[in-house]
């Protein structure tokens, strides 16, 4: 029986790593690190830094996992993601079997929280279903980019007795605000979907590279700041080669 820990490591600031996560880091013999190519080098480094900072008096091994190519051109988004997860499960299963000795503990360090827009849990379930390697796993929650965003802007995500909706840029672009909900958090938005909304009566709280030295925060009425955010985003992306940004849209309630 191999044991895996799925550890949420926060969304950028090493001080967001919880005591529970630090204790879990100190139980692991092997860290599996998904290597997603040159532009994701910073994320591999961030994980290595966390290990060096928090693991005490313990030998551990780092195993880099090659990430299979995902077909981003396919119009069948769901099927393309499912295929990519299956490919990943095959690669991960082989590595867990070969790199983790019986009785040892392996760990996946997940950006933010494993429960939000992350495929690690689904891939591990797929490995278990494949039945080629016997394993058990535990999940340690992390501070998500969503919580970081709210804290840095000093806003609550929920208004009194009201819901908050978390979605992707792709969904916002096609669906706008959902019925009965005036507070929407948007992640994974490569195309500034907020710019396509009517905007009047809506405030935006935007954050990029939250918790890092490159952090950018902008907020205000959407029609007033949409252009500024797009310009800041494009400039930062050109400078660093990649960007991660998240935002809260808050629409004034119709009376
Ligand atoms: C694949 S999802 C992973 C989310 C992660 N599991 C979490 O809990 O934050 C990646 C998206 O999270 C958001 N994100 C993650 N880290 C961020 C950061 N430091 N600053 C701003 N947005 C971030 C961005 O919307 C990005 O497109």
């Amino acid at each position: 029986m191999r044991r895996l820990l799925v550890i949420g490591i926060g969304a950028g600031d090493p001080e967001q790593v919880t005591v529970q996560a630090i204790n879990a880091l100190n139980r692991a013999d092997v860290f599996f690190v998904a290597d997603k190519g040159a532009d994701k080098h910073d994320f591999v480094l961030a994980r290595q830094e966390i290990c060096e900072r928090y693991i005490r008096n313990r030998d551990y091994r780092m195993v880099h996992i090659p990430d299979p190519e995902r077909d981003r051109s396919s119009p069948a988004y769901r099927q393309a993601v499912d295929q990519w997860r299956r490919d990943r499960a095959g690669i991960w299963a082989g590595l867990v079997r070969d790199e983790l000795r019986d009785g040892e503990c392996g760990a996946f360090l997940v950006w933010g929280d494993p429960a939000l827009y992350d495929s690690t849990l689904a891939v591990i379930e797929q490995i278990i279903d494949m039945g080629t390697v016997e394993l058990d796993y535990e999940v340690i929650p992390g501070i998500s980019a969503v919580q970081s965003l709210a804290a840095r802007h000093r806003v609550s995500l929920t208004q009194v007795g009201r819901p908050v909706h978390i979605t992707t840029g792709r969904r916002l672009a096609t669906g706008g605000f959902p019925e009965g909900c005036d507070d929407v958090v948007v992640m994974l938005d490569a195309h500034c979907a907020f710019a396509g909304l009517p905007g009047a009566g809506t405030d935006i709280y935007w954050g990029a590279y939250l918790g890092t030295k490159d952090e950018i925060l902008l907020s205000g009425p959407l029609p007033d700041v949409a252009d500024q955010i797009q310009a800041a985003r494009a400039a930062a992306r050109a400078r660093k080669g990649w960007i991660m940004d998240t935002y809260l849209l808050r629409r004034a309630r119709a009376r």
Side-chain angles (χ1 to χ4, degrees), residues 1-3 29 100-105:
M1 172 69 79
R2 274 102 170 153
R3 188 153 189 81
D29 302 292
L100 206 58
R101 289 185 282 269
D102 198 19
E104 279 193 330
C105 180

Side-chain angles (χ1 to χ4, degrees), residues 11 111-113 116-118 144-145 187-188 207-210 244-246:
W111 199 255
D113 183 78
L116 262 181
Y117 293 122
D118 186 273
S144 159
M187 305 177 87
L188 295 161
Y209 313 110
L210 290 158
M244 281 223 280
D245 59 335
T246 307

Side-chain angles (χ1 to χ4, degrees), residues 10-13 36 43 110-119 142-149 186-190 207-212 233 242-247:
D13 183 347
K36 296 182 183 174
F43 296 103
V110 174
W111 199 255
D113 183 78
L116 262 181
Y117 293 122
D118 186 273
S119 57
I143 305 284
S144 159
V146 177
Q147 291 156 285
S148 262
L149 177 80
V186 184
M187 305 177 87
L188 295 161
D189 182 3
Y209 313 110
L210 290 158
T212 75
R233 189 183 193 283
W242 59 272
I243 189 161
M244 281 223 280
D245 59 335
T246 307
Y247 50 93

Side-chain angles (χ1 to χ4, degrees), residues 5-254:
L5 299 167
V6 180
I7 309 175
I9 55 168
D13 183 347
E15 298 210 341
Q16 285 176 354
V17 177
T18 66
V19 174
Q20 193 183 18
I22 292 172
N23 289 337
L25 289 170
N26 280 284
R27 280 165 59 197
D29 302 292
V30 178
F31 290 92
F32 294 98
V33 182
D35 199 343
K36 296 182 183 174
D39 57 334
K40 297 284 166 31
H41 185 61
D42 288 356
F43 296 103
V44 175
L45 281 185
R47 287 173 169 90
Q48 279 171 356
E49 272 170 39
I50 283 174
C51 289
E52 279 160 25
R53 182 163 172 172
Y54 292 117
I55 299 175
R56 295 277 164 257
N57 307 322
R58 203 171 192 314
D59 286 335
Y60 58 87
R61 310 191 291 282
M62 284 271 178
V63 172
H64 289 267
I65 308 179
D67 214 37
E69 267 310 308
R70 194 169 116 198
D71 182 3
R72 290 178 192 275
S73 62
S74 168
Y77 179 78
R78 186 69 239 187
Q79 283 96 312
V81 171
D82 287 347
Q83 182 55 48
W84 179 66
R85 284 184 177 177
R86 277 194 293 277
D87 295 345
R88 273 185 131 187
I91 295 170
W92 291 22
L95 284 173
V96 167
R97 196 185 46 232
D98 298 343
E99 300 285 346
L100 206 58
R101 289 185 282 269
D102 198 19
E104 279 193 330
C105 180
F108 287 90
L109 305 188
V110 174
W111 199 255
D113 183 78
L116 262 181
Y117 293 122
D118 186 273
S119 57
T120 308
L121 300 181
V123 175
I124 290 177
E125 279 298 322
Q126 212 142 12
I127 296 174
I128 292 171
D129 287 351
M130 284 160 49
T132 52
V133 49
E134 203 185 344
L135 55 88
D136 188 17
Y137 71 104
E138 203 178 308
V139 180
I140 287 89
I143 305 284
S144 159
V146 177
Q147 291 156 285
S148 262
L149 177 80
R152 295 297 290 134
H153 281 287
R154 300 182 299 182
V155 287
S156 165
L157 296 172
T158 49
Q159 303 192 65
V160 183
R162 302 282 301 158
V164 62
H165 184 77
I166 301 178
T167 191
T168 63
R170 180 187 283 253
R171 290 236 170 229
L172 182 75
T174 51
F177 278 81
E179 185 75 26
C181 186
D182 299 309
D183 298 282
V184 176
V185 174
V186 184
M187 305 177 87
L188 295 161
D189 182 3
H191 302 291
C192 297
F194 57 81
L197 295 177
T202 298
D203 288 330
I204 183 167
Y205 300 86
W206 179 81
Y209 313 110
L210 290 158
T212 75
K213 63 179 179 14
D214 299 303
E215 182 177 271
I216 314 171
L217 299 172
L218 288 168
S219 63
L222 184 54
D224 298 354
V225 295
D227 288 350
Q228 193 189 347
I229 293 173
Q230 288 189 85
R233 189 183 193 283
R237 191 174 190 282
R239 193 175 60 247
K240 271 191 82 74
W242 59 272
I243 189 161
M244 281 223 280
D245 59 335
T246 307
Y247 50 93
L248 166 69
L249 294 169
R250 171 150 292 160
R251 191 170 61 171
R253 259 177 98 180

